[in-house]
Coordinates of all heavy atoms in Angstrom, one line a residue:
R381 N -44.9 17.6 27.5 CA -45.5 18.8 28.1 C -46.0 19.7 27.0 O -46.9 20.5 27.3 CB -44.4 19.5 28.9 CG -44.0 18.8 30.2 CD -43.1 19.7 31.0 NE -42.7 19.1 32.3 CZ -41.6 18.4 32.5 NH1 -40.8 18.3 31.5 NH2 -41.4 17.9 33.7
E382 N -45.5 19.6 25.8 CA -46.0 20.5 24.7 C -47.0 19.7 23.9 O -47.8 20.4 23.1 CB -44.9 21.0 23.9 CG -43.9 21.9 24.6 CD -42.9 22.5 23.7 OE1 -42.9 22.2 22.5 OE2 -42.1 23.4 24.1
S383 N -47.0 18.4 23.9 CA -47.9 17.7 22.9 C -49.4 17.9 23.2 O -50.2 18.0 22.3 CB -47.6 16.2 23.0 OG -48.0 15.6 24.3
G384 N -49.8 17.9 24.5 CA -51.2 18.1 24.8 C -51.6 19.5 24.3 O -52.7 19.6 23.8
A385 N -50.8 20.5 24.6 CA -51.2 21.9 24.2 C -51.2 22.0 22.7 O -52.1 22.7 22.1 CB -50.2 22.8 24.8
R386 N -50.4 21.3 22.0 CA -50.4 21.3 20.5 C -51.7 20.7 20.0 O -52.3 21.2 19.0 CB -49.2 20.5 20.0 CG -49.0 20.6 18.5 CD -47.7 20.1 18.1 NE -46.6 20.9 18.5 CZ -45.3 20.6 18.5 NH1 -44.9 19.5 17.9 NH2 -44.4 21.5 18.9
A387 N -52.1 19.6 20.6 CA -53.4 19.0 20.2 C -54.6 20.0 20.3 O -55.4 20.1 19.4 CB -53.6 17.7 21.0
V388 N -54.6 20.6 21.5 CA -55.7 21.6 21.7 C -55.7 22.7 20.7 O -56.7 23.1 20.2 CB -55.7 22.1 23.2 CG1 -56.7 23.2 23.4 CG2 -55.9 21.0 24.1
Q389 N -54.5 23.2 20.4 CA -54.3 24.3 19.5 C -54.9 23.9 18.1 O -55.6 24.7 17.4 CB -52.9 24.7 19.4 CG -52.6 25.8 18.3 CD -51.1 26.1 18.2 OE1 -50.3 25.5 18.8 NE2 -50.8 27.1 17.3
R390 N -54.6 22.7 17.7 CA -55.0 22.2 16.4 C -56.5 22.1 16.4 O -57.2 22.3 15.3 CB -54.4 20.8 16.0 CG -54.8 20.3 14.7 CD -54.3 21.2 13.6 NE -54.8 20.7 12.3 CZ -56.0 21.1 11.7 NH1 -56.8 21.9 12.4 NH2 -56.3 20.6 10.5
V391 N -57.1 21.6 17.5 CA -58.6 21.5 17.5 C -59.2 22.9 17.4 O -60.2 23.0 16.7 CB -59.0 20.8 18.8 CG1 -60.5 20.9 19.1 CG2 -58.7 19.3 18.8
V392 N -58.7 23.8 18.1 CA -59.2 25.2 18.0 C -59.1 25.7 16.6 O -60.0 26.3 16.1 CB -58.4 26.1 19.0 CG1 -58.8 27.6 18.7 CG2 -58.7 25.8 20.4
E393 N -58.0 25.4 15.9 CA -57.8 25.9 14.5 C -58.8 25.2 13.6 O -59.1 25.8 12.5 CB -56.4 25.5 14.1 CG -55.3 26.4 14.8 CD -53.9 25.9 14.5 OE1 -53.8 24.8 13.8 OE2 -52.9 26.6 14.9
S394 N -59.3 24.1 14.0 CA -60.3 23.4 13.1 C -61.7 24.0 13.2 O -62.5 23.7 12.4 CB -60.4 21.9 13.5 OG -61.2 21.8 14.7
G395 N -61.8 25.0 14.1 CA -63.1 25.7 14.2 C -64.1 25.0 15.2 O -65.2 25.4 15.3
A396 N -63.6 24.0 15.9 CA -64.5 23.2 16.8 C -64.9 24.1 18.0 O -64.2 25.0 18.4 CB -63.7 22.0 17.4
R397 N -66.1 23.9 18.5 CA -66.7 24.6 19.7 C -66.8 23.6 20.8 O -66.9 24.0 22.0 CB -68.0 25.2 19.3 CG -67.9 26.3 18.3 CD -69.2 27.0 18.1 NE -69.1 28.1 17.1 CZ -70.1 28.9 16.7 NH1 -71.3 28.7 17.2 NH2 -69.9 29.8 15.8

Side-chain angles (χ1 to χ4, degrees):
R381 289 191 177 93
E382 292 186 359
S383 69
R386 183 168 296 172
V388 172
Q389 178 184 1
R390 181 64 185 90
V391 166
V392 171
E393 290 171 354
S394 75
R397 295 183 179 180

